[in-house]
Amino acid sequence: MSRSLIVMPDDTARPILDAIAAAAKSLRIKMFLFSDPDLLDAVIAAHQRGVKVQVMLNPARRGGEAENEATRKKLERAGIEVKDSNPAFAVTHEKSMVVDDAKAFVKSLNWERKNLTETRDYAVITEHGHEVAEVLAGFEADWHRKDFEPGDRAHLIWCSSNGRERIAEFIDRAKHTLFVQNERYQDPIIIERLVRAATRGVKVHVMVRPPHTLKKDKLLEGVGGIRILKDVGVKVRKLKHLKLHAKMLLADGERAIVGSINLAPGSFDSRRELAIEVDDHHVVKRLEQIAEHDWEHSHALDLTDEGLLADLAKRGEAKIGAEKLALKGSKAKKASKGSGKQTAKRKVKAKGKAKVKSKRKR
C-alpha cells in the first residue's frame, strides 16, 4: 500500500491516462468539470474494452452555467452510465476517481485542458484500503442519492461534514512553517486560525490569486481575508507564470492536505468536497519543493487601496470594487475628477468674459 503525488502541469495528464488505460474491472469518476478530449477518449476506450464505467458530473455551476453537457452526451452515446451529482449539495466540487476498487485519486484539478497545462494543481493517489473504501462509499452514496456521514473516525476530509474542523485542527498543529495555496480565503474560522498561527510564531506563507479573479459578490470576504492576514505579518504572494488552482496546505515539512476544498464558507457548508491528509515522506518532500519553488517564482500582492484599484481595473471593475471595499483611492479619484471639471468650467467662463471685454473695447 502506498501513496503518490501528481503535480500539474509538471507531470502532465500521463499518470491519469495510464491509470485509466490500466483499469481492468471498474472506473468510478466524480468530476466538477470534464471536457479534456484525451481523458474523454480514454474513458470511452475503457468502456469499450469491458470496464464498468460510472461517471458523476456536476450539472451546473452556482451561476447556472451547464459546462458538462457536451461531455455527458458523448459519454451517453458511447453507452456509459452518467448521472448528475447528488442534488443534496448546491455544487459537487469533488474531483475523484477510483480504479478497480483498489486505487483512488483525490485531486484539486478538473479534467479540463487548462488544469492539465496552465494551472498549479495536485492529485494524491492512494492505495490504502480504508481510504479507497471511503472514496467508494462516498461515490455510492451520491450515486444512489443516500446520506453519507463518514463520522468522527473518517480517514478523509469531507464537505459538508468534517472539512472545516479538520483543516482548522491541521493549522492549529503547525509549529514552525505553514505553506497555503488556495484560490479563496473567505472563511472567518480558517482566517482566524491562520492569524493565530502567525501570532504564535509560525511562519505562514500564503499564495493567492489576484482579487480581480474573484466574483463580485465575493470581493468583501476574499479581499478582507487576505488583507487581515497581511496586517498580522503573513506574507501574501501570487504566482508569476502559472495560474493558481491548487488547494494545498503544508505544515512543518511533515504533513500536507491536498484536495478540492477552497477556504470559503460555501465549500465547507453546502458543497460536496473531498481532500486527503498525508504524511508520506516522499509526497510531503515533493510538495515542499514545489511550494518553495513557487514561492521563489512569485511576487508580493499589493493590497493597498491603490494596488487593489489597479488590480480590479484589469477586469474593468475598479469603480464597483472601490465601492464594495470602501477604498480610499476611489474618493481621491472622484475628487480629482470633480476638481478637474470645476477647473475646466472656470477656464471656459474666463474665456467667455475675455471675449465680452474685447467686444466692448471695440
Side-chain angles (χ1 to χ4, degrees), residues 41-62:
D41 289 345
V43 170
I44 292 172
H47 167 73
Q48 290 172 341
R49 67 174 183 270
V51 175
K52 181 181 179 181
V53 179
Q54 295 170 285
V55 178
M56 214 179 318
L57 297 174
N58 183 67
R61 287 179 181 265
R62 190 167 53 89

Side-chain angles (χ1 to χ4, degrees), residues 120-133:
R120 172 64 75 221
D121 268 299
Y122 305 103
V124 169
I125 308 169
T126 178
E127 296 178 28
H128 286 246
H130 52 280
E131 292 171 346
V132 176

Side-chain angles (χ1 to χ4, degrees), residues 145-158:
R145 309 308 195 231
K146 294 181 179 179
D147 291 337
F148 173 64
E149 180 50 62
D152 296 336
R153 302 178 73 178
H155 298 284
L156 302 175
I157 303 170
W158 295 92

Side-chain angles (χ1 to χ4, degrees), residues 60-344:
R61 287 179 181 265
R62 190 167 53 89
E65 305 93 331
E67 295 169 294
N68 288 319
E69 197 56 35
T71 295
R72 182 192 186 102
K73 289 178 180 178
K74 189 169 182 179
L75 290 169
E76 287 177 337
R77 283 197 300 269
I80 293 173
E81 289 185 273
V82 185
K83 279 191 178 183
D84 286 344
S85 52
N86 193 339
F89 301 95
V91 167
T92 288
H93 195 239
E94 175 185 342
K95 307 98 165 33
S96 66
M97 177 173 72
V98 181
V99 181
D100 293 337
D101 296 352
K103 182 183 294 186
F105 289 64
V106 179
K107 299 169 284 191
S108 67
L109 62 127
N110 294 301
W111 281 5
E112 285 193 298
R113 183 56 54 93
K114 68 178 181 180
N115 286 145
L116 304 171
T117 59
E118 300 174 15
T119 64
R120 172 64 75 221
D121 268 299
Y122 305 103
V124 169
I125 308 169
T126 178
E127 296 178 28
H128 286 246
H130 52 280
E131 292 171 346
V132 176
E134 209 169 286
V135 180
L136 278 171
F139 185 95
E140 289 299 314
D142 286 347
W143 185 267
H144 295 289
R145 309 308 195 231
K146 294 181 179 179
D147 291 337
F148 173 64
E149 180 50 62
D152 296 336
R153 302 178 73 178
H155 298 284
L156 302 175
I157 303 170
W158 295 92
C159 296
S160 55
S161 181
N162 62 1
R164 182 183 282 112
E165 180 184 355
R166 285 282 298 273
I167 290 177
E169 188 267 341
F170 180 93
I171 295 168
D172 288 347
R173 284 191 287 133
K175 297 177 181 178
H176 307 293
T177 60
L178 189 63
F179 281 91
V180 188
Q181 294 184 340
N182 206 280
E183 291 184 276
R184 305 283 182 262
Y185 294 82
Q186 298 164 348
D187 188 77
I189 300 300
I190 300 304
I191 297 299
E192 177 195 25
R193 292 309 211 280
L194 290 171
V195 167
R196 287 185 184 182
T199 54
R200 70 173 179 268
V202 177
K203 292 183 179 178
V204 182
H205 302 75
V206 164
M207 192 78 75
V208 304
R209 291 189 71 173
H212 74 266
T213 64
L214 294 171
K215 293 181 179 178
K216 295 176 187 177
D217 61 341
K218 297 299 180 184
L219 272 175
L220 285 176
E221 303 99 314
V223 172
I226 56 179
R227 282 185 121 181
I228 289 169
L229 294 173
K230 181 80 177 288
D231 287 345
V232 298
V234 172
K235 295 179 180 179
V236 180
R237 300 177 74 88
K238 61 179 180 178
L239 273 170
K240 286 182 180 177
H241 306 300
L242 287 174
K243 294 177 182 178
L244 182 68
H245 186 257
K247 299 92 171 65
M248 187 274 288
L249 297 94
L250 172 67
D252 302 324
E254 296 175 351
R255 302 172 291 114
I257 290 176
V258 169
S260 67
I261 305 172
N262 283 312
L263 305 178
S267 295
F268 290 122
D269 298 327
S270 62
R271 294 185 171 199
R272 167 65 84 208
E273 306 272 10
L274 176 62
I276 184 170
E277 182 174 344
V278 297
D279 58 7
D280 310 69
H281 180 77
H282 63 288
V283 173
V284 171
K285 284 304 171 187
R286 189 171 184 211
L287 281 170
E288 187 174 37
Q289 290 168 1
I290 295 296
E292 290 176 349
H293 172 274
D294 286 351
W295 195 257
E296 291 172 5
H297 294 82
S298 65
H299 54 86
L301 192 63
D302 187 352
L303 294 173
T304 63
D305 285 8
E306 293 76 14
L308 288 170
L309 282 169
D311 184 81
L312 291 168
K314 294 175 183 178
R315 195 170 63 184
E317 293 179 355
K319 183 178 179 182
I320 295 172
E323 291 171 354
K324 279 184 170 288
L325 299 169
L327 300 178
K328 292 179 182 178
S330 60
K331 293 181 180 179
K333 287 187 176 182
K334 286 179 182 177
S336 65
K337 285 182 180 178
S339 62
K341 288 179 180 178
Q342 294 298 322
T343 302

